[in-house]
Amino acid sequence: MSSIKLKAKAIDGGLIEVKALMTHPMETGLRKDSAGELIPAHFISEVVVTANDKEVMKANWGGSISKNPYMAFTYKGAAGDKVKLTWKDTKGGTDTDEVVAA
């Protein structure tokens, strides 16, 4: 099961609105556990969104992004575009989700 909830829909002006919610702990590496030991950093470091295999958004994130990050943006496109979001984290994890813009 994907850790990403992804939606894309056409809005006025030939734009596609993309909304994504990613389930991830986003540990900064600065918190301590109950034993007083630092919890290792573990956060999403890169997010790439493509539409019909063309990159429309790329973000490089740091440890300051909140747990279970949400993002939204628009790009010029059309209903029927195949929108794909992929994230990579600092421990080598990755996840991908794809939807068709409504």
Side-chain angles (χ1 to χ4, degrees):
M1 182 171 166
S2 176
S3 67
I4 304 167
K5 290 183 181 177
L6 180 65
K7 293 181 179 179
K9 72 174 187 178
I11 58 174
D12 293 339
L15 297 174
I16 300 296
E17 180 180 59
V18 178
K19 295 180 179 180
L21 178 65
M22 294 158 263
T23 302
H24 196 279
M26 300 298 284
E27 286 292 345
T28 64
L30 302 175
R31 283 187 336 118
K32 293 182 180 178
D33 62 16
S34 59
E37 299 293 322
L38 282 176
I39 300 171
H42 182 209
F43 56 85
I44 295 172
S45 58
E46 181 180 281
V47 179
V48 177
V49 180
T50 61
N52 299 328
D53 297 324
K54 180 181 174 188
E55 187 176 292
V56 294
M57 197 285 298
K58 182 175 184 178
N60 294 311
W61 288 354
S64 63
I65 304 294
S66 68
K67 180 179 179 180
N68 300 329
Y70 169 81
M71 67 174 210
F73 66 96
T74 59
Y75 72 92
K76 279 200 171 251
D81 283 0
K82 287 185 179 179
V83 178
K84 180 178 172 182
L85 184 149
T86 301
W87 62 251
K88 296 177 184 173
D89 71 18
T90 54
K91 288 188 174 180
T94 186
D95 199 3
T96 298
D97 196 11
E98 185 173 328
V99 297
V100 175

